[in-house]
């Protein structure tokens, strides 16, 4: 079966996750797709296939002949879809041999994927594209990743012995991991790394076809609490400390251009995500981001020093600034000890006919958390574009290429 054939079935399952839920998976319906994946994995002959109470799917593909001693390699994708739009797709349509023009998704609603706004369409001229009618997202993020891993697993198992003759299908022992709740930042929360028991892995969760991502933000969260002194404004000379005004003063002391709207590429930022304030007290919530750990540490220092300075000015304990680390830049876990993982993926991407794109992610990935949990985990593409919205589309041919890239990567790690 080709990846898109599996994919077209997976996207009919509603697997939208829900941030407001406290259960895992956050929505029980994710387990419906999970049950299908368990059934399919068993059908293709994977071993130790099961879904645990949290909705995580684990499966094993034994090593090909001669690769039994190579370290276990994991491929991971997530089952849930983003909260921005409904994710149950019953209206997918295939555009054969895409000609490079704007795509009318929905004539009645006037929803058009135009080339000007979505320039990556031009990467897919001549491909067969899968689109929606514009009322849902497509769910290539990340069901295209799941479909590609399933196809690779099927090829490995059906040709387990033939891989001696066909080195392209050689592979170490493979662990498959499908997680719920990635879109709400909880993908790795209940992943049992003892059950995964892999030396390293790849998430298959990136846009396009040729991306190799192993660098993400180094992330921290900042919380500022300001204790004011409220007095009747008519008699507050020299006494009042207006917490709301002090909150504005705190923000004004941060570097003016170091915010998300004024930074790109490798520039980090302070991002005020929310605030409340009265005369009596004020609170501010920030996220701090940088690719470079030392710059992020400097950023944290600046944050704390502003509080210190304001306390000198307004009195001890007027301002408290707390910082907690959120997630690391996975490059720290990958590059020093596992550069061969990246070489394997690069060669596989080139063999599939593309030049690897290696740009740092301006965000986090599940792979960052997996890397921190002991499984170094770069990210590969899925063959989909413009996820999280109505204009998400996938290329059938690029999805096939992703299968080839997964197989090629595994073959290079089979020694
Ligand atoms: Zn994703």
């Amino acid at each position: 079966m080709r990846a898109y054939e599996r994919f077209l079935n997976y996207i009919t399952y509603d697997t939208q996750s829900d941030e407001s839920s406290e259960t895992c998976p956050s929505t029980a319906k994710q387990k419906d797709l999970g049950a299908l994946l368990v059934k399919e994995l068993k059908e293709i002959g994977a071993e130790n296939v099961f879904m645990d109470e949290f909705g995580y799917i684990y499966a094993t593909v034994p090593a090909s002949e001669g690769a039994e001693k190579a370290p276990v390699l994991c491929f991971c994708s997530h089952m849930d879809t983003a909260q921005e739009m409904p994710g149950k797709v019953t209206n997918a349509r295939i555009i054969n041999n895409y000609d490079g023009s704007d795509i009318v998704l929905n004539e009645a609603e006037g929803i058009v994927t135009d080339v000007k706004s979505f320039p990556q369409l031009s990467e897919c001229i001549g491909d067969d594209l899968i689109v929606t009618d514009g009322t849902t997202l497509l769910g290539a993020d990340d069901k295209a990743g799941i479909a590609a891993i399933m196809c690779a697993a099927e090829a490995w198992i059906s040709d387990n012995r033939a891989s001696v003759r066909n080195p392209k299908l050689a592979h170490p022992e493979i662990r498959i991991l499908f997680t719920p709740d990635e879109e709400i930042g909880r993908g790795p929360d209940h992943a049992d790394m003892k059950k995964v028991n892999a030396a390293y892995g790849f998430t298959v969760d990136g846009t396009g076809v040729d991306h190799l991502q192993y660098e993400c933000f180094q992330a921290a969260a900042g919380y500022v609490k300001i204790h004011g002194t409220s007095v009747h404004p008519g008699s507050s000379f020299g006494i009042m400390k207006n917490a709301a005004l002090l909150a504005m003063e705190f923000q004004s002391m941060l570097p003016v251009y170091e915010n998300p709207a004024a930074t790109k590429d490798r520039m980090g930022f302070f991002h005020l995500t929310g605030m409340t304030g009265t005369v009596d007290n004020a609170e501010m919530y920030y996220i701090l981001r940088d690719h470079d750990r030392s710059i992020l540490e400097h950023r944290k220092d600046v944050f704390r020093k502003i509080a210190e300075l304001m306390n000198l000015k307004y009195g001890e304990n007027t301002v408290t600034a707390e910082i907690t680390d959120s997630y690391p830049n996975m490059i720290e876990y990958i590059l020093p000890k596992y550069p061969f993982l990246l070489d394997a993926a690069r060669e596989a991407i080139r063999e599939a006919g593309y030049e690897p794109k290696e740009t740092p992610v301006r965000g986090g990935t599940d792979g960052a958390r997996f890397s921190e949990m002991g499984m170094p985990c770069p990210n590969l593409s899925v063959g989909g574009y413009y996820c999280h919205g109505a204009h998400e589309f996938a290329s059938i041919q690029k999805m096939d290429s992703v299968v080839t890239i997964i197989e090629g990567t595994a073959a290079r790690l089979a020694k």
Side-chain angles (χ1 to χ4, degrees):
M1 221 191 261
R2 283 175 72 185
Y4 84 92
E5 295 172 288
R6 292 188 182 279
F7 175 69
L8 286 176
N9 184 23
Y10 300 160
I11 58 177
T12 63
Y13 285 74
D14 179 3
T15 58
Q16 195 174 38
S17 47
D18 177 7
E19 198 163 29
S20 67
S21 159
E22 281 172 15
T23 58
C24 180
S26 65
T27 50
K29 57 194 177 185
Q30 294 181 63
K31 283 188 170 177
D32 296 342
L33 176 61
L36 172 75
L37 296 173
V38 166
K39 180 171 157 277
E40 289 191 350
L41 282 161
K42 285 182 176 166
E43 275 167 11
I44 63 174
E47 297 179 1
N48 301 323
V49 182
F50 64 98
M51 173 162 59
D52 72 7
E53 58 181 308
F54 303 112
Y56 288 67
I57 315 286
Y58 302 81
T60 295
V61 176
S64 59
E65 261 184 42
E68 295 86 352
K69 289 201 174 129
V72 177
L73 168 65
C74 175
F75 286 101
C76 170
S77 289
H78 63 90
M79 297 183 286
D80 63 318
T81 57
Q83 293 188 104
E84 283 91 337
M85 282 196 100
K88 182 180 171 63
V89 184
T90 50
N91 45 27
R93 174 165 70 95
I94 295 177
I95 298 168
N96 289 306
N97 192 13
Y98 171 62
D99 63 3
S101 59
D102 295 350
I103 299 171
V104 179
L105 295 181
N106 190 319
E107 192 137 23
E109 306 266 334
I111 307 169
V112 178
T113 305
D114 63 293
V115 180
K116 198 163 170 247
S117 309
F118 302 94
Q120 284 177 296
L121 274 171
S122 63
E123 289 178 27
C124 300
I125 293 171
D127 290 1
D128 302 319
L129 302 187
I130 305 174
V131 299
T132 68
D133 70 356
T135 60
T136 65
L137 47 70
L138 179 62
D141 174 15
D142 190 17
K143 289 165 182 159
I146 293 177
I149 293 171
M150 293 293 286
C151 287
E154 188 178 26
W156 287 322
I157 292 167
S158 66
D159 209 14
N160 208 28
R161 289 192 53 79
S163 60
V164 177
R165 298 186 299 273
N166 181 4
K168 287 190 173 164
L169 284 176
H171 58 276
E173 184 173 324
I174 302 284
R175 201 81 69 232
I176 293 171
L177 174 65
F178 297 140
T179 70
D181 293 342
E182 187 270 353
E183 298 291 359
I184 54 172
R186 301 180 199 161
D189 281 12
H190 291 276
D192 186 333
M193 300 316 280
K194 283 206 188 87
K195 283 182 195 147
V196 176
N197 192 22
Y200 33 68
F202 286 87
T203 47
V204 184
D205 190 20
T207 188
V209 65
D210 45 9
H211 291 266
L212 170 61
Q213 298 169 321
Y214 48 91
E215 202 177 353
C216 63
F217 272 144
Q218 188 99 237
Y223 169 69
V224 180
K225 171 97 184 161
I226 298 175
H227 304 274
T229 306
S230 183
V231 187
H232 187 282
S235 55
S236 58
F237 182 79
I239 306 169
M240 182 191 280
K241 279 193 276 187
N242 186 334
L245 283 181
L246 265 54
M248 291 161 72
E249 184 173 340
F250 185 98
Q251 168 61 31
S252 74
M253 291 167 82
L254 290 169
V256 180
Y257 291 110
E258 293 181 19
N259 66 67
T263 49
K264 58 179 182 173
D265 303 329
R266 279 175 189 280
M267 297 153 77
F269 54 73
F270 298 92
H271 175 38
L272 176 64
T273 58
M275 65 183 292
T276 57
T278 61
V279 175
D280 208 34
N281 62 71
E283 291 176 288
M284 293 193 288
Y285 299 87
Y286 286 88
I287 59 172
L288 282 59
R289 297 287 188 270
D290 246 298
H291 289 100
D292 188 306
R293 182 181 282 275
S294 64
I295 301 178
L296 185 74
E297 290 304 322
H298 177 68
R299 216 173 273 294
K300 292 183 195 170
D301 277 348
V302 169
F303 203 76
R304 291 191 197 100
K305 289 233 166 73
I306 292 174
E308 276 175 40
L309 202 63
M310 289 185 69
N311 284 333
L312 284 176
K313 190 170 166 188
Y314 295 107
E316 221 171 304
N317 296 325
T318 304
V319 180
T320 53
E322 288 167 18
I323 290 182
T324 47
D325 286 318
S326 305
Y327 56 82
N329 184 345
M330 59 182 159
I331 196 170
E332 292 186 357
Y333 296 90
I334 296 169
L335 206 52
K337 279 194 183 159
Y338 301 92
F340 58 89
L341 281 183
L342 306 179
D343 288 338
R346 278 181 195 119
E347 285 174 26
I349 292 169
R350 286 199 184 103
E351 190 177 56
Y354 306 92
E355 190 50 33
K357 288 200 184 85
E358 303 182 22
T359 43
V361 183
R362 286 183 67 78
T365 73
D366 273 2
R369 298 264 306 283
F370 286 132
S371 296
E372 194 179 28
M373 289 156 85
M375 183 173 79
C377 203
N379 186 37
L380 298 172
S381 296
V382 303
Y385 298 79
Y386 301 109
C387 58
H388 293 207
H391 301 278
E392 185 183 15
F393 66 89
S395 152
I396 289 177
Q397 285 73 17
K398 300 283 193 291
M399 289 170 73
D400 290 340
S401 291
V402 171
V403 179
T404 308
I405 289 167
I406 290 172
E407 290 166 354
T409 303
R412 287 166 173 82
L413 295 169
K415 289 156 200 150

